[in-house]
Each structure stands twice: as C-alpha cells, then as structure tokens.
C-alpha cells in the first residue's frame, strides 16, 4: 500500500469497525445464550479490532520509513527493504536508534574528511615551500652569474657550488617523495635476507660519526650490544631506517649530548631503540611526527638540511616489513624511537 494516508487509514478502520459491529450485534442478538455468546464474541471482537488497527498503522509507518531506510542503507529496491527490530523495541524506537547511529557515523566520516582535507592542504603547502626555497636560490645564483658574476673568479665558482647544493636538495626531496609514493602504493619490492643487525648499526654509526662529532654528540650502545642479533629483512631498507633515526637524533640533539642504540630480545622479534638526549617533542605533537613534512621544530630541521620526509619513510618501511614503530618523548629531555624486526631462525 504505497499511497496510504492518514485519512485512508481512518476510513478503512471505520469501515472495519462498522462491519465488526454488525457481526457482533447480529451474533449476540440471535444467540440463544447471550452470556455464552458474549464470552466468545468480545475477545474475538477485540482480537480482530487490534489486528486491523495494528495492520493499518504498521503499513502506514512502513510506507513512510522505507524511503528513509533506502537513504540510510542505499537500497535500490524499496519493496525488499527489511526493517530489523528487537523483541523489546517498537518499530519507531528501532528506527530512531538506527537513524541516530547513522547520523553519528556520517558525522564521524565528515570529521575524518575535514581532517584529511586539512592534512592535504598542509601537505601541498609544505611541498610547495620545500621546493620553492631551492628553486629561488638557484634562480638568484643564476641571475647573479648572468649579470656579470660569471666573469668574476671570486663569485662564479662559489655561486655554482651553491647552485649545485640547491639542486641536490631538490633531488633529495623528489627522491623521498617518490619513495613514499611507491611505499603507499605497495610498489616498492622488499628483498629479505638474514643479516646481523648489530653489524649494520656499526656501519651506520661509522657513517654518521663525523656529523655527530660536529655537534659533540656521542653515539653509543646501550643494552644488548654485547651480542649479535640476526634478523630477516631488507638490509638496504633497514640501513635506511636506522640511518634516518640516528641522523634525526643528531639533528634534534643537544650539543654535548648522546644517542644510545639498544637491542632487546622479544621472543621471535628484536626490538631496536634509538634514544637521544635532545630537545624532545611536545605531547600534542607526538601523533604527527610520522606525517610527511611535519616538523616539531621547523627552523631546527631546515637548519640541518632535513626534508621533513625521513620519519614518514621510516614508518612506511617498517610497516612494509609487517612491523611497528613507536615514539615516546619528554619535552626538553629527549626522544626514544623503537621498532621491531623479525628474528632469523
């Protein structure tokens, strides 16, 4: 009954009651035993009346609610929509609860979309800013050379060297962006192999020793440094992970501080911790440290040439291995990054 309206329902119910009334009075009028007839006809009359009213009311409610359910659940076939209800709730209570739940879900989705849009705008702004700086530098150096600086031996080589550094920075940003895009798209192929994680860390420390010495930061080992730790992973990518974390600890460390690397046996995994005594990260910034281009201290990071993509790449690489990376920090006291790797048999 698609076209049920309140007036039609009232008319059908009135006609139904009229017919029932005729039947009721007819049966009792001609009955030889009035009391016996009333004892049977009254409950029957009540049951039929109840069923009649209930049928039309439910039909009316269902006809109005079906389009609402179609909107909520996206059904194309209106006739096949079933409204689920529990034994303890009437249909209106059930529908009200489901509408409230639907509104809550939609509100949450809208908030998530707004947050994603905010991150997207920030990301585009950061990409633009990161690329704009070296491009403007290159433009300035080239224009100076074209305006006659190319003839001055005291200027030309110095400006060409600075131009090369700016180009290298642009290449570094683009390569990092390409790496993240491949990781997010699942296009980056891992090549697992068994290797000694302790030896790999030795190589990283040796490579970053000069950088650390300039800041008077001591690179050292903590717990678990007295033994080998064989893991199965992509050695090149894990080298990149450890390097990024060590470089990050140096860039955000305090002059005269230290970076400590520890290994912990976690049954079938090895937990690696990179701990520094640097400036730390505020609690409200911790959830965002792995975002692309996000910096807790922007001026400090750019001062040391960071692209703002290192930690984002680290997170993607660790997750590509089916593992997790975590961070904990106290502002002004230091930061600890920890990640796990599968132990080799």
């Amino acid at each position: 009954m698609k076209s049920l309206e309140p007036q039609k329902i009232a008319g059908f119910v009135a006609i139904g009651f009229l017919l029932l009334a005729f039947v009721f009075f007819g049966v009792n009028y001609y009955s030889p035993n009035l009391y016996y007839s009333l004892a049977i006809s009254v409950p029957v009359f009540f049951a039929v009346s109840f069923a009649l009213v209930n049928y039309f009311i439910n039909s009316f409610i269902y006809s109005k609610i079906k389009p609402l359910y179609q909107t909520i659940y996206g059904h194309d076939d209106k006739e096949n929509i079933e409204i689920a209800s529990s034994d303890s709730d009437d249909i209106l209570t059930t529908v009200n609860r489901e509408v409230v739940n639907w509104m809550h879900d939609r509100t949450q989705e809208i908030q998530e979309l707004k947050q994603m849009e905010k991150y997207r705008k920030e990301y585009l702004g950061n990409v633009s800013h990161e690329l704009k700086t070296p491009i403007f530098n290159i433009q300035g150096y080239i224009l100076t050379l074209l305006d006659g600086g190319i003839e001055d031996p005291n200027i030309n080589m110095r400006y060409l060297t600075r131009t090369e550094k700016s180009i290298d920075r642009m290449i570094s940003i683009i390569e990092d962006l390409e790496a993240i895009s491949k990781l997010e798209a699942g296009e980056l192929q891992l090549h697992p192999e068994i290797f000694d994680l302790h030896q790999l860390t030795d190589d990283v420390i040796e490579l970053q020793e000069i950088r650390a010495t300039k800041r008077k930061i001591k690179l050292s080992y903590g717990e678990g440094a007295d033994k080998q730790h064989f893991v199965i992973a992509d050695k090149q990518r894990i080298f990149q992970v450890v390097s990024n974390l060590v470089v990050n600890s140096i860039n955000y460390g305090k002059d005269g501080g230290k970076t400590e690397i520890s290994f912990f046996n976690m049954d079938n995994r090895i937990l690696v911790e990179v701990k520094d005594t640097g400036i730390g990260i505020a609690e409200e910034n911790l959830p965002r440290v792995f975002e692309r281009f996000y910096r807790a201290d922007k001026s400090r990071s750019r001062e040391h040439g960071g692209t703002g993509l290192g930690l984002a790449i680290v997170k993607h690489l660790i997750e590509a291995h089916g593992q997790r990376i975590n961070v904990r920090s106290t502002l002004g006291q230091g930061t600890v990054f920890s990640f796990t790797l599968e132990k080799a048999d």
Side-chain angles (χ1 to χ4, degrees):
M1 298 185 178
K2 297 182 180 180
S3 59
L4 278 179
E5 298 295 337
Q7 295 83 357
K8 290 185 178 181
I9 292 177
F12 289 138
V13 171
I15 293 173
F17 276 134
L18 183 60
L19 293 175
L20 286 174
F22 280 119
V23 173
F24 178 79
F25 286 112
V27 169
N28 289 289
Y29 182 78
Y30 293 105
S31 176
N33 189 334
L34 182 60
Y35 293 104
Y36 181 76
S37 176
L38 287 172
I40 296 176
S41 60
V42 169
V44 172
F45 181 83
F46 174 79
V48 174
S49 300
F50 177 83
L52 182 67
V53 173
N54 185 66
Y55 170 77
F56 281 109
I57 289 179
N58 279 337
S59 297
F60 174 73
I61 293 175
Y62 271 81
S63 67
K64 298 301 180 184
I65 289 177
K66 277 183 180 179
L68 179 61
Y69 263 67
Q70 185 191 23
T71 301
I72 293 176
Y73 296 109
H75 287 282
D76 294 328
D77 188 356
K78 296 182 181 181
E79 298 300 325
N80 294 328
I81 297 175
E82 294 183 1
I83 301 174
S85 63
S86 62
D87 296 335
S88 59
D89 293 338
D90 60 80
I91 185 175
L92 293 178
T93 302
T94 301
V95 171
N96 180 71
R97 182 175 60 250
E98 295 197 18
V99 169
V100 169
N101 292 337
W102 179 79
M103 289 179 62
H104 178 268
D105 292 342
R106 298 293 81 73
T107 301
Q108 190 173 358
E109 287 181 6
I110 291 171
Q111 292 300 324
E112 291 175 355
L113 288 172
K114 287 182 177 179
Q115 192 70 13
M116 290 175 64
E117 176 67 12
K118 178 183 176 183
Y119 288 160
R120 186 187 68 82
K121 289 179 179 178
E122 288 182 2
Y123 173 64
L124 291 175
N126 286 328
V127 170
S128 173
H129 180 80
E130 294 296 337
L131 292 175
K132 181 172 63 176
T133 301
I135 288 173
F136 282 176
N137 288 340
I138 293 170
Q139 183 185 42
Y141 299 144
I142 296 298
L143 288 176
T144 301
L145 292 172
L146 290 175
D147 287 342
I150 192 70
E151 307 295 338
D152 189 339
N154 296 322
I155 293 179
N156 54 18
M157 291 306 299
R158 184 168 72 249
Y159 274 35
L160 286 173
T161 302
R162 290 178 180 178
T163 300
E164 182 185 22
K165 288 182 179 179
S166 294
I167 292 173
D168 289 342
R169 177 168 173 77
M170 285 182 60
I171 293 173
S172 177
I173 293 172
I174 293 170
E175 286 178 345
D176 285 349
L177 284 171
E178 184 181 16
I180 289 180
S181 298
K182 286 183 177 180
L183 285 165
E184 290 180 342
E187 296 176 359
L188 190 66
Q189 296 295 321
L190 298 179
H191 303 284
E193 59 180 292
I194 296 175
F195 61 91
D196 181 10
L197 189 58
H198 191 290
Q199 180 60 52
L200 180 142
T201 307
D202 282 340
D203 295 339
V204 172
I205 290 176
E206 183 179 352
L207 187 64
Q208 301 301 332
E209 190 173 0
I210 295 177
R211 185 193 296 262
T213 302
K214 289 181 179 179
R215 299 286 311 282
K216 298 179 181 179
I217 291 176
K218 181 181 179 182
L219 301 180
S220 62
Y221 284 107
E223 188 173 335
D226 56 342
K227 61 182 69 174
Q228 294 177 311
H229 301 282
F230 286 96
V231 296
I232 179 167
D234 188 317
K235 186 176 181 179
Q236 180 183 351
R237 300 302 176 184
I238 298 306
F239 184 90
Q240 187 178 1
V241 167
V242 178
S243 294
N244 276 339
L245 292 179
V246 170
V247 169
N248 187 76
S249 71
I250 296 172
N251 289 343
Y252 290 96
K254 295 177 181 177
D255 291 346
K258 67 176 182 177
T259 294
E260 186 177 88
I261 304 171
S262 303
F263 307 95
F264 300 91
N265 193 332
M266 307 286 289
D267 294 329
N268 61 338
R269 291 183 175 87
I270 296 295
L271 175 69
V272 184
E273 280 193 354
V274 180
K275 179 181 180 181
D276 65 56
T277 56
I279 60 176
I281 304 170
E283 185 176 355
E284 62 270 18
N285 293 328
L286 283 176
R288 301 192 61 186
V289 294
F290 294 110
E291 289 180 19
R292 290 170 291 187
F293 291 113
Y294 185 79
R295 295 183 175 93
D297 187 340
K298 297 182 179 180
S299 60
R300 185 75 171 275
S301 181
R302 290 198 176 97
E303 177 186 344
H304 294 282
T307 64
L309 296 167
L311 290 179
I313 292 174
V314 165
K315 181 175 183 292
H316 281 298
L317 287 174
I318 293 298
E319 290 180 348
H321 283 81
Q323 305 296 322
R324 297 188 64 181
I325 183 168
N326 296 292
V327 58
R328 60 184 189 274
S329 182
T330 303
L331 194 62
Q333 297 183 18
T335 304
V336 180
F337 286 94
S338 60
F339 64 91
T340 57
L341 289 174
E342 185 179 349
K343 188 187 299 183
D345 293 335

